[in-house]
Amino acid sequence: MTEILPIRVAALYRFTPFADIAAIQPPLALACCSNGVKGTLLLAAEGINGTIAGSEAGIDAVLAHIRALPGCADLDVKESRAETMPFHRMKVRLKREIVSMGVEGIDPTREVGTYVAGEEWNALIADPDTLLIDTRNDYEVAIGSFDGAIDPGTKSFRDFPGWFRENRDELMAGKSKVAMFCTGGIRCEKATAFLKAEGVADVFHLDGGILKYLETMPEER
């Protein structure tokens, strides 16, 4: 029987409008600390993002607290296990963005690309009318990517808007659709909101990112 490692790790995010993040911060920090949970959570007017670790009961309690926040019932959570606690302390930080793009007015809660499940993803990116963009940073792309994906060569997500604007005409030549992907879903979700704001009509992204894709799609042989 495979041994279950004792520490539960939860990477989570949710784009949802928070009216008063300063009021959300103290109770959330208390819920984490009183349940022995450590890690980092970012709060912004656009939502929540972060990674936490703790016991089964501790993570259950904190996730229940977060899911009770406005718009967080469908919180996106990806879990793993660890042998020892990977974090030294708990931090709940107030930020301008939960994933930094640096472009004012981009709101995935208002306008975002179409979510595509893994089962439909392969057909979408095989379409010659689809431009496929990997929104991860250069060191992540180096690990591996989908065949035919465009690598922006960015070292930071904040470089993505400038890269797209500078190369848009060349990138979109002969393409009617744009499909984007990232590691866990949060970055490409915001990237599609940016492209929609830039006037690109048919924009899609891989729901849950590469991590969910690998969990749900059978390995090709």
Side-chain angles (χ1 to χ4, degrees), residues 82-94:
E83 186 171 353
T84 59
M85 171 59 74
F87 307 115
H88 297 296
R89 55 188 177 276
M90 186 66 225
K91 295 174 284 187
V92 181
R93 293 178 170 173
L94 304 185

Side-chain angles (χ1 to χ4, degrees), residues 80-139:
S80 58
R81 313 291 302 198
E83 186 171 353
T84 59
M85 171 59 74
F87 307 115
H88 297 296
R89 55 188 177 276
M90 186 66 225
K91 295 174 284 187
V92 181
R93 293 178 170 173
L94 304 185
K95 306 285 284 187
R96 289 180 59 85
E97 302 175 86
I98 58 171
V99 55
S100 296
M101 176 177 271
V103 178
E104 293 293 333
I106 302 302
D107 185 1
T109 68
R110 184 182 66 245
E111 186 175 40
V112 72
T114 302
Y115 298 82
V116 180
E119 294 79 4
E120 289 82 43
W121 180 252
N122 291 346
L124 172 66
I125 65 176
D127 187 336
D129 288 334
T130 300
L131 169 67
L132 180 61
I133 301 176
D134 190 332
T135 66
R136 298 173 299 163
N137 294 335
D138 54 2
Y139 62 91

